[in-house]
Amino acid sequence: MKQKVLVTGGTGYIGSHTIIDLLENGYEVVCADNGINSDTSSLDAIRILTGVDVPYFHIDLCDLKATETIFVQHPDITGIIHFAALKAVGESVEKPILYFRNNLESLINILDMSIKYEVKAFIFSSSCTVYGDVTTSPVDEKTPLQEAASPYGRTKQIGEKIITDSIKNSQVKSILLRYFNPAGAHPSGLLGESPVNPPQNLVPVITETAIGRRASMTVFGTDYPTRDGSCIRDYIHVVDLAKAHTLGLKYIFHDKQESPVDIYNVGIGNGLTVLEIIDAFEKVTGEKLSYQKGPRRPGDVMAIYSDYSKAAANLGWKPSLDVEDIMKTAWVWEKRRSQK
Ligand code: UD1
């Protein structure tokens, strides 16, 4: 019998790519999203790519009653992948209450339902931001967490603790995936990052600038003590990242996880600077990018990249795509999106 998996935030960027991977691996999927930063065009793309019409609940998980309707209609859900959350670091500094209320209340509600409806596996979108301002990289899962640099980061730190405490005496087993910097798009060109709000993340800012949606862009800080002065991050292709969720579910469904909660870094373990990313974009696409060098962005960490050996050893996960794949697919997607 097929396992049924609820994907919250399923019309969003990482959620929609993960739905494709789940369907390709024989899972049945139910999607929930409040649609505030994505729309159902991703479900149309999923239908074209997989032939599956994924059931969709347009609901806000902060509404417990509405959340329960999913489980009343689908009491056979055995796994949940919880993506739904606000994720703009700068906005979270301006509106901390909004972030705490939205990201934590929705998490508490979905955990409540997971326990009540005897869900077996719960995968949580955490972030490398939980490590805070680290002094050395690579970081592994045992690296001590520093003070969060933003309320967004705090919701991920607190979220990890809420899950750990809540499921302790239940049947639920959980995996916390700490994502590094997801980027790129589906190789079909039909699916990619398409946020309702203007993106703040580096790769969509680059492609939007190159296509002319933005006049130019700024490199935030070129005076860091790194090889070229700009910040170092670990950019992971969204298709590789999606696979980590499916493998995490499998691990729990196959009773391989002994502890109630386990944590995995999901990055490719290769740190690249902002200027190297721009260089990769220009090389892969042949486009010349108009950018200026500017001051540091408050809250930015100088350098962080992952040690993902635990995910490789336990989940059998390893990245197969690199920065060139990221740029190629992100650019194809941007060109398609801009024609609409
Ligand atoms: C941060 C969080 C990440 C979170 C993500 C959500 C950390 C370490 N990472 O990623 O966990 O999921 O936000 O949005 O806290 N940059 C520019 N110009 C731009 C945009 C970005 O130079 O216009 C630079 C940034 O200064 C940074 C790099 O590009 O050095 C990546 O930035 P971004 O894509 O925003 O991601 P993070 O801040 O690393």
Side-chain angles (χ1 to χ4, degrees):
M1 202 189 68
K2 277 189 175 184
Q3 304 270 11
K4 193 182 273 187
V5 180
L6 169 63
V7 178
T8 76
T11 63
Y13 174 48
I14 308 171
S16 57
H17 285 82
T18 300
I19 289 178
I20 291 182
D21 196 59
L22 289 169
L23 294 171
E24 285 174 348
N25 280 279
Y27 290 96
E28 202 176 329
V29 175
V30 174
C31 168
D33 207 299
N34 65 1
I36 63 160
N37 198 27
S38 58
D39 60 46
T40 51
S41 58
S42 50
L43 296 180
D44 299 336
I46 289 170
R47 191 178 309 115
I48 294 168
L49 288 166
T50 65
V52 179
D53 208 353
V54 173
Y56 172 57
F57 288 81
H58 183 195
I59 59 154
D60 190 337
L61 298 174
C62 292
D63 179 342
L64 181 61
K65 269 207 184 119
T67 304
E68 186 150 20
T69 59
I70 307 171
F71 294 87
V72 170
Q73 289 183 43
H74 298 276
D76 51 344
I77 288 171
T78 49
I80 295 180
I81 307 182
H82 181 52
F83 292 101
L86 296 171
K87 61 150 198 163
V89 175
E91 184 187 49
S92 80
V93 175
E94 284 160 33
K95 300 175 184 166
I97 297 291
L98 174 71
Y99 272 66
F100 291 131
R101 184 170 285 137
N102 183 77
N103 289 6
L104 300 181
E105 211 170 307
S106 54
L107 173 63
I108 291 165
N109 285 346
I110 198 77
L111 280 171
D112 188 357
M113 293 299 101
S114 306
I115 296 164
K116 183 169 174 184
Y117 287 87
E118 299 188 340
V119 167
K120 182 163 181 173
F122 187 90
I123 313 286
F124 178 61
S125 299
S126 190
S127 165
C128 70
T129 195
V130 299
Y131 293 112
D133 197 357
V134 291
T135 45
T136 54
S137 272
V139 292
D140 67 22
E141 295 81 356
K142 291 199 180 77
T143 301
L145 308 189
Q146 310 291 325
E147 194 68 21
S150 69
Y152 160 77
R154 185 90 65 200
T155 67
K156 293 299 177 189
Q157 287 184 340
I158 297 173
E160 291 192 350
K161 298 282 183 212
I162 288 176
I163 294 166
T164 308
D165 287 346
S166 304
I167 67 167
K168 206 176 253 165
N169 300 312
S170 77
Q171 79 295 337
V172 182
K173 291 217 164 163
S174 181
I175 285 180
L176 316 176
L177 294 180
R178 292 180 177 161
Y179 311 156
F180 283 69
N181 287 59
H186 195 267
S188 64
L190 294 177
L191 192 62
E193 191 164 10
S194 197
V196 173
N197 304 317
Q200 314 286 331
N201 296 109
L202 180 62
V203 174
V205 166
I206 289 175
T207 56
E208 285 200 351
T209 307
I211 206 105
R213 253 181 225 259
R214 298 171 188 241
S216 84
M217 59 164 288
T218 303
V219 174
F220 297 138
T222 49
D223 59 347
Y224 287 98
T226 59
R227 47 188 178 265
D228 62 21
S230 63
C231 288
I232 293 177
R233 294 287 183 276
D234 182 341
Y235 297 87
I236 169 172
H237 198 289
V238 65
V239 168
D240 276 334
L241 177 57
K243 290 180 180 159
H245 298 80
T246 312
L247 291 169
L249 273 183
K250 256 187 211 162
Y251 194 71
I252 296 178
F253 284 148
H254 292 173
D255 295 318
K256 288 190 178 157
Q257 183 165 307
E258 281 163 19
S259 56
V261 178
D262 217 342
I263 304 175
Y264 295 96
N265 282 343
V266 200
I268 74 167
N270 181 24
L272 291 176
T273 70
V274 176
L275 294 172
E276 285 165 351
I277 288 287
I278 291 176
D279 195 44
F281 173 79
E282 291 185 332
K283 266 203 196 112
V284 167
T285 64
E287 300 286 325
K288 189 89 197 99
L289 192 71
S290 159
Y291 69 91
Q292 68 253 349
K293 296 180 177 179
R296 295 179 177 193
R297 182 172 71 175
D300 266 345
V301 172
M302 174 186 71
I304 183 162
Y305 53 94
S306 67
D307 174 337
Y308 69 84
S309 47
K310 188 176 166 190
N314 290 4
L315 306 181
W317 177 84
K318 67 174 179 14
S320 61
L321 301 167
D322 62 13
V323 67
E324 294 194 355
D325 301 306
I326 286 177
M327 290 310 175
K328 224 180 281 169
T329 53
W331 186 232
V332 168
W333 170 245
E334 185 65 76
K335 285 192 287 191
R336 184 188 159 87
R337 192 162 85 93
S338 298
Q339 277 165 3
K340 281 185 187 165

